[in-house]
Amino acid sequence: MSQTHLTLRDRQTAILEKMLNLNINAENSDLTESLNGEEIIWKVLVLDSKSTAIISSVLRMSDLLRCGITMHTHINANRSPLPDVPVIYFVEPTRANIDQIAQDLKEDKYASFYINFTSSLSRDLLEDLAKSVAMTGKSSKVMQVYDQYLSYIVTEPSLFSLKLPDVYARFASAKTTEEEINSAADIIANGLFDTIITMGSIPIIRSQSGGPAQLVSEKLDQKLRDYVISTKYTTGPDYSQRLVLILFDRNIDLAAMFSHSWIYQCLVADVFKLESNTITIETEKDGKKTKTQYDLEPKDFFWNANAQLPFPDAVDNADTELKNYKEKAEELTRGAGAQNLEDLDNHKDDLLQQTVNQLPELTARKNIIDMHMNVLLALLNELKAKGLDSFFEIEQSLSDPKSRQRFLDVLRDDGNTHNLEDKLRTFIVMYLTTDLPSDYVSSVEREFAKHEEFNTAALSHIKKLKDSLRIRNAMVMNTYTKDSSNGSSQGNSGALLSSLSSKLYNLADGKISEGVGSLISGVKRLLPEKKAMPITKLVETLMDPNNATEESLKVTDDYLYYDPKVIRGSHSRKPKRQTYLESVVFVVGGGNYLEYQNLQEWAQQSTQQGNSKQVVYGSDDIYSPSNFLKEITLLE
């Protein structure tokens, strides 16, 4: 794969693996295999909480072993000395971590020290490190000190997070001081700086004005200009195309944070917990709560192919994958003269070796299918228990008075108290994106008031924002593009869920159900209309202005323009409309999987149409709707 087509996850993984190989280029090396008789260097890896999250999102135990890591441990853990083994530190640049490294050095805890920081070490801390090391009298043991510029977490090929909670509340609260705001903006700019360094290109910066995005962009521009000056940065042989970094404030489309989605990945993140590429499902039986965790490997073929698809399509594809597995298993056993796959393990005949060699891959594929079958089944149970399909359908046609009435009927009559939060979310989306009659709003609020134990404080903040958001975003919110071929969301969704339920339970029992064609015909009615979300529409306008409408261009022409490579004179100037092939889109105040998937869908469609586009999406944190609702509640 060429460098220009590496994803952000590819790039971060390559840097981490280089670090684990003592910062020596060791592409595709595997220390668990023979290295031409060379002695294998086994190492200890010492992490802190931030670096653990960074590594665990892209590397697994087998990857660490392949890089020669025999043990990994937390820097604050009670660690036994290993004086004959080299150690790799990968930690945040903090005084506490520096002090601990110096103490380890003083105690001769390891044979040699390779020190790596997640982000740039400040001059003050660098001096502290040098002084602390010198005082031990063992500076010869320190072999390397590196800034790795990796203080961000990648969970998807083109999705990253700075893992900074409560940023939206911090910027929105009247209690936040100017010093706290500047500190938060600095931390975000530092994380974005690391991401940009990993991307390997100094970008043009475009930003919303007058809010947190502008503050972050100003600080980031200064950091990048200092970097260009200090490193005498050049873009390399092909500098005709630069990526564009686009910064938005979360209020550009607040409704997206509360919306119900029918996309597989979005549903998993909404209904369960999706963090560091691990799905956590919590169930309760007989008063006891249990947690089940499923790891999403970077090579998870099913997740890679279905995460962006509607949930019913994922169900159907699970059926197909299971059928393919069964056919392949039968083909192998039949060709080898065995009764089943297990029997193949006992065959030692050389003629069967080729068949036996296929077993690990086939078994691994089956394990992935089984895992997703379990997740899909758990999703279906939650969808049915909370009636989530109803909220998704209502949100697909909020401007229709019939949908409003249907929502009020559900609120009054469904008798389900397990989905009050989902009802509140749908109402917030409705309130933010449409003009509701005051008597309708009052009716809804009276229904919520009947549940005294349920906290609706978030509505107060939403009401305060309504007018300003409507004025600021009206043009953007109305620039949806639709693909009419999908039709609208209609039909008997209860019957659909029943059909899906039967199908999944059959699959879980290892049975292949019939009537797939009829299921697909029912699924089509619940597919969402293809819409470019507000952020996607703005990104499209900024990246491809030649095909944008004048209304959209009027919005983006007002976005701030920074060129960090201009180190003399004014670096912020009136922007020119320019086409970009690659962008990093960053939302200050929280991101979500729905926007990520919508941007990737647009990029894929553009590329298929011969207009190649690549988009990386990130935020200070990637939220589930429930977690963002809790953060909004903190404001009141």
Side-chain angles (χ1 to χ4, degrees):
M1 182 182 293
S2 66
Q3 184 72 7
T4 56
H5 289 91
L6 291 176
T7 66
L8 180 61
R9 184 168 68 185
D10 294 331
R11 295 170 188 269
Q12 189 190 57
T13 301
I15 294 172
L16 286 171
E17 291 184 342
K18 180 180 178 181
M19 179 191 75
L20 296 178
N21 285 289
L22 307 181
N23 291 296
I24 299 171
N25 282 322
E27 187 175 357
N28 299 322
S29 67
D30 186 347
L31 297 188
T32 62
E33 297 180 357
S34 171
L35 292 178
N36 298 322
E38 297 180 11
E39 183 180 356
I40 294 175
I41 301 176
W42 298 108
K43 297 145 289 191
V44 173
L45 177 63
V46 175
L47 307 166
D48 60 11
S49 297
K50 179 65 176 286
S51 60
T52 298
I54 293 169
I55 283 189
S56 64
S57 290
V58 294
L59 298 178
R60 293 295 183 257
M61 286 298 300
S62 58
D63 299 312
L64 297 181
L65 185 61
R66 179 168 49 82
C67 294
I69 303 299
T70 56
M71 177 188 300
H72 65 90
T73 181
H74 197 281
I75 191 169
N76 293 328
N78 184 16
R79 292 173 282 122
S80 300
L82 295 169
D84 297 325
V85 180
V87 61
I88 298 174
Y89 290 90
F90 181 45
V91 294
E92 287 190 276
T94 65
R95 185 164 278 103
N97 283 340
I98 288 173
D99 290 344
Q100 186 59 62
I101 292 171
Q103 184 63 30
D104 291 349
L105 185 62
K106 181 179 179 181
E107 296 175 0
D108 285 322
K109 191 160 282 189
Y110 305 103
S112 53
F113 288 64
Y114 297 81
I115 304 170
N116 300 269
F117 294 106
T118 56
S119 56
S120 180
L121 192 66
S122 68
R123 178 173 292 275
D124 289 344
L125 287 177
L126 180 60
E127 291 175 356
D128 285 348
L129 176 63
K131 182 178 179 180
S132 299
V133 169
M135 289 177 65
T136 67
K138 300 173 182 178
S139 59
S140 61
K141 282 195 168 188
V142 178
M143 312 305 292
Q144 295 175 350
V145 178
Y146 274 84
D147 296 333
Q148 294 294 353
Y149 302 107
L150 293 175
S151 61
Y152 57 91
I153 296 170
V154 178
T155 52
E156 291 284 315
S158 299
L159 174 70
F160 72 98
S161 163
L162 304 184
K163 208 62 180 174
L164 301 173
D166 303 331
V167 168
Y168 182 87
R170 202 174 310 169
F171 280 118
S173 174
K175 298 178 182 178
T176 306
T177 66
E178 184 176 350
E179 182 180 358
E180 290 171 332
I181 288 175
N182 275 293
S183 176
D186 270 325
I187 294 172
I188 294 170
N190 287 338
L192 265 174
F193 176 83
D194 287 2
T195 309
I196 293 301
I197 296 303
T198 303
M199 296 289 289
S201 173
I202 302 299
I204 297 293
I205 301 174
R206 301 299 305 274
S207 169
Q208 272 187 277
S209 62
Q214 177 176 349
L215 183 59
V216 171
S217 64
E218 289 171 350
K219 291 179 179 293
L220 177 62
D221 172 60
Q222 184 61 55
K223 292 177 186 295
L224 288 171
R225 285 201 296 146
D226 291 344
Y227 177 79
V228 169
I229 293 171
S230 63
T231 62
K232 297 180 181 179
Y233 180 87
T234 58
T235 59
D238 183 11
Y239 53 86
S240 59
Q241 276 292 341
R242 293 169 65 184
L243 67 85
V244 59
L245 169 63
I246 306 170
L247 288 94
F248 296 107
D249 294 327
R250 180 62 270 167
N251 284 344
I252 191 68
D253 182 16
L254 197 60
M257 298 298 286
F258 303 100
S259 297
H260 289 85
S261 173
W262 207 232
I263 302 299
Y264 183 30
Q265 182 184 54
C266 300
L267 270 173
V268 169
D270 185 347
V271 176
F272 304 129
K273 181 180 179 181
L274 178 57
E275 188 172 320
S276 297
N277 279 338
T278 297
I279 301 172
T280 302
I281 300 176
E282 187 172 296
T283 56
E284 184 174 344
K285 186 176 182 180
D286 299 329
K288 294 183 179 181
K289 291 185 178 180
T290 59
K291 289 184 179 180
T292 305
Q293 292 188 325
Y294 300 100
D295 287 334
L296 295 169
E297 304 286 347
K299 296 181 181 179
D300 184 329
F301 73 93
F302 189 87
W303 182 255
N304 293 338
N306 291 274
Q308 77 281 10
L309 298 181
F311 166 71
D313 284 4
V315 173
D316 189 57
N317 290 340
D319 178 22
T320 300
E321 290 294 344
L322 187 58
K323 286 181 179 178
N324 291 341
Y325 164 79
K326 284 179 171 288
E327 290 174 359
K328 184 65 175 178
E330 290 174 359
E331 178 184 332
L332 286 177
T333 54
R334 187 169 55 249
Q339 295 297 317
N340 51 54
L341 289 179
E342 288 73 17
D343 288 346
L344 291 177
D345 288 329
N346 300 321
H347 282 262
K348 303 300 181 183
D349 194 323
D350 289 342
L351 295 176
L352 300 177
Q353 193 60 49
Q354 185 176 358
T355 300
V356 173
N357 289 341
Q358 297 181 54
L359 284 179
E361 181 181 351
L362 191 61
T363 300
R365 196 171 184 88
K366 177 59 163 55
N367 290 337
I368 290 174
I369 297 171
D370 288 344
M371 180 187 78
H372 284 284
M373 206 73 73
N374 291 333
V375 173
L376 288 165
L377 186 56
L379 265 181
L380 182 66
N381 289 334
E382 286 297 307
L383 290 173
K384 293 174 67 178
K386 294 183 176 181
L388 298 184
D389 55 306
S390 297
F391 304 119
F392 167 74
E393 288 191 281
I394 290 169
E395 291 171 23
Q396 288 292 292
S397 53
L398 288 175
S399 59
D400 186 349
K402 293 181 180 179
S403 289
R404 298 179 190 175
Q405 184 58 47
R406 182 183 174 191
F407 173 74
L408 195 54
D409 292 341
V410 170
L411 190 60
R412 287 170 174 168
D413 303 329
D414 78 339
N416 193 340
T417 59
H418 297 295
N419 60 8
L420 287 172
E421 184 177 284
D422 294 286
K423 292 170 180 173
L424 180 61
R425 284 168 47 193
T426 294
F427 180 61
I428 289 175
V429 174
M430 187 184 300
Y431 190 89
L432 286 171
T433 58
T434 62
D435 291 320
L436 299 174
S438 57
D439 58 339
Y440 181 85
V441 174
S442 298
S443 297
V444 171
E445 291 180 327
R446 283 195 297 270
E447 293 302 320
F448 279 121
K450 293 178 181 179
H451 305 278
E452 296 180 0
E453 76 289 351
F454 182 64
N455 189 349
T456 59
L459 275 178
S460 299
H461 178 72
I462 296 301
K463 286 185 174 182
K464 292 176 184 178
L465 281 174
K466 170 68 175 180
D467 289 339
S468 60
L469 289 177
R470 180 174 54 200
I471 294 171
R472 188 173 184 179
N473 302 337
M475 188 177 298
V476 181
M477 296 295 290
N478 289 326
T479 53
Y480 285 130
T481 57
K482 299 182 179 180
D483 181 350
S484 60
S485 64
N486 283 309
S488 60
S489 175
Q490 300 173 355
N492 187 340
S493 59
L496 172 62
L497 283 177
S498 176
S499 178
L500 287 174
S501 177
S502 174
K503 185 181 188 64
L504 279 171
Y505 279 113
N506 283 338
L507 291 177
D509 291 336
K511 303 172 183 176
I512 302 298
S513 58
E514 301 297 333
V516 175
S518 61
L519 173 65
I520 293 175
S521 65
V523 168
K524 293 298 182 184
R525 293 176 297 169
L526 255 185
L527 286 179
E529 288 182 296
K530 287 189 177 180
K531 297 179 180 179
M533 296 179 70
I535 280 181
T536 302
K537 190 62 181 178
L538 288 166
V539 170
E540 180 180 16
T541 302
L542 286 164
M543 291 186 70
D544 194 11
N546 293 333
N547 293 318
T549 64
E550 281 301 319
E551 289 78 8
S552 297
L553 289 169
K554 287 178 182 177
V555 176
T556 56
D557 281 350
D558 288 336
Y559 276 39
L560 300 173
Y561 180 102
Y562 300 90
D563 186 351
K565 292 182 66 179
V566 178
I567 58 178
R568 293 183 177 85
S570 176
H571 59 282
S572 177
R573 62 182 187 271
K574 183 177 177 60
K576 62 178 181 179
R577 296 172 182 175
Q578 182 178 340
T579 299
Y580 299 94
L581 302 181
E582 187 175 6
S583 70
V584 176
V585 178
F586 189 87
V587 185
V588 181
N592 57 80
Y593 288 103
L594 185 57
E595 284 176 336
Y596 168 66
Q597 293 292 1
N598 199 253
L599 283 164
Q600 297 309 309
E601 182 180 33
W602 169 75
Q604 291 169 9
Q605 289 176 346
S606 298
T607 300
Q608 290 168 0
Q609 295 167 3
N611 187 16
S612 177
K613 301 294 180 187
Q614 296 178 33
V615 181
V616 173
Y617 175 82
S619 183
D620 36 81
D621 208 357
I622 303 298
Y623 284 84
S624 69
S626 179
N627 285 341
F628 192 74
L629 187 62
K630 291 176 183 175
E631 182 165 329
I632 292 290
T633 303
L634 294 176
L635 290 169
E636 301 305 324

